[in-house]
Amino acid sequence: TTDARDDAAAQKLAKDVYAKIQGGLSFAQAAAQFSEDPTSKTKGGLVEAYAPGVFSDAFDKTVLSLKNGQISQPVKTQYGYHIIEAETQANQIPSFEAEKPRLIAEVEKNKVASVYSDTVNSLNETIVGNDSLDAVVQQVKGTKIESLNGVTLATQNPYLSDPNVKIKLFNDDVKNGDRNASSNIQLANGDTVWVKVRDYHAAGVKPLAQAMNEVKAKVIDEKARKAAQAKIAT
């Protein structure tokens, strides 16, 4: 207790309050009228900061012995006398019927992921083992092999522009002569591809004559385009 009453008086008050609760007074009403804790008395007696060891062993043992909604007789601690009501949060366990659609979708998703993973692993063994991309077309419907010439780091392509693909195409192994089919490459969008470099040319400066011919061809094409536009305009 926080006032000047002695232990006997405090114990009598606690017993009287307990009797009132047994007689029909709600725990929250009793806390509001008789509790000397200014924080919990306005919250129906709720002690939000309670943790084992804060009050006393007797207090903790009483809390553990109570079932949900059960109210204890007065318990003495160094702070005075306490009447405790156990209030546990009921776990909201959804019914099986409510969870069934989600569970089915999750199982199906896991099945698809498992089949996909098994397929990729199987293709890896075949492609790398035979150094050929043909296995992809033979084993997976709807797939195809695409061939591109003149691929560089600047090439814009839905697949070849992916950073993971570029690493496979332009690594030191390829530069040093490795022309074997790659293992599977996971793209940023989740797709899986395999690549095979058939020929590799190191970057370099074109001969002046070749560069001049290409520039001339482009200039001629541009002049022809402008001439055609002028003719159409007239």
Side-chain angles (χ1 to χ4, degrees):
T1 58
T2 57
D3 57 17
R5 69 170 66 92
D6 59 21
D7 183 77
Q11 184 180 36
K12 181 179 183 305
L13 175 60
K15 289 183 176 180
D16 289 344
V17 174
Y18 179 74
K20 291 179 182 295
I21 294 174
Q22 294 299 305
L25 185 68
S26 72
F27 188 87
Q29 290 173 329
Q33 292 180 36
F34 301 104
S35 176
E36 295 176 357
D37 178 7
T39 301
S40 64
K41 72 180 300 176
T42 60
K43 299 179 180 179
L46 177 64
V47 179
E48 295 178 334
Y50 167 72
V54 173
F55 293 96
S56 69
D57 289 342
F59 189 99
D60 294 338
K61 289 179 181 178
T62 301
V63 170
L64 292 174
S65 68
L66 296 174
K67 296 180 180 179
N68 186 41
Q70 191 175 5
I71 297 174
S72 75
Q73 294 190 29
V75 180
K76 184 180 180 180
T77 72
Q78 67 269 34
Y79 302 108
Y81 287 88
H82 310 270
I83 299 172
I84 307 167
E85 180 184 34
E87 184 178 283
T88 58
Q89 294 291 333
N91 292 326
Q92 298 296 324
I93 302 176
S95 67
F96 173 75
E97 289 301 321
E99 285 289 285
K100 188 176 179 180
R102 183 187 67 80
L103 294 173
I104 291 176
E106 189 171 323
V107 169
E108 291 299 324
K109 181 180 178 181
N110 290 336
K111 283 183 179 179
V112 171
S114 178
V115 171
Y116 184 81
S117 178
D118 290 344
T119 302
V120 169
N121 290 335
S122 175
L123 287 171
N124 253 341
E125 293 181 6
T126 305
I127 292 170
V128 175
N130 295 287
D131 189 25
S132 172
L133 302 180
D134 294 336
V136 178
V137 178
Q138 295 170 0
Q139 296 186 33
V140 183
K141 293 182 179 180
T143 59
K144 60 181 179 179
I145 298 175
E146 293 186 8
S147 297
L148 282 86
N149 296 321
V151 176
T152 69
L153 284 170
T155 297
Q156 296 298 312
N157 180 277
Y159 306 110
L160 302 184
S161 298
D162 188 282
N164 291 330
V165 175
K166 288 183 177 180
I167 291 174
K168 290 284 188 179
L169 291 177
F170 298 98
N171 60 39
D172 289 338
D173 290 338
V174 171
K175 294 177 182 178
N176 293 330
D178 183 359
R179 301 293 182 266
N180 294 328
S182 73
S183 56
N184 66 293
I185 305 170
Q186 189 79 29
L187 302 183
N189 65 1
D191 289 343
T192 301
V193 299
W194 287 261
V195 296
K196 179 178 174 64
V197 177
R198 298 193 181 280
D199 198 8
Y200 178 83
H201 298 281
V205 179
K206 293 181 179 179
L208 179 60
Q210 181 182 350
M212 286 292 293
N213 289 334
E214 291 181 0
V215 171
K216 286 180 180 179
K218 289 182 180 179
V219 171
I220 292 172
D221 287 344
E222 180 64 16
K223 287 182 177 179
R225 184 183 66 81
K226 289 183 177 180
Q229 288 179 338
K231 186 174 182 180
I232 292 172
T234 57

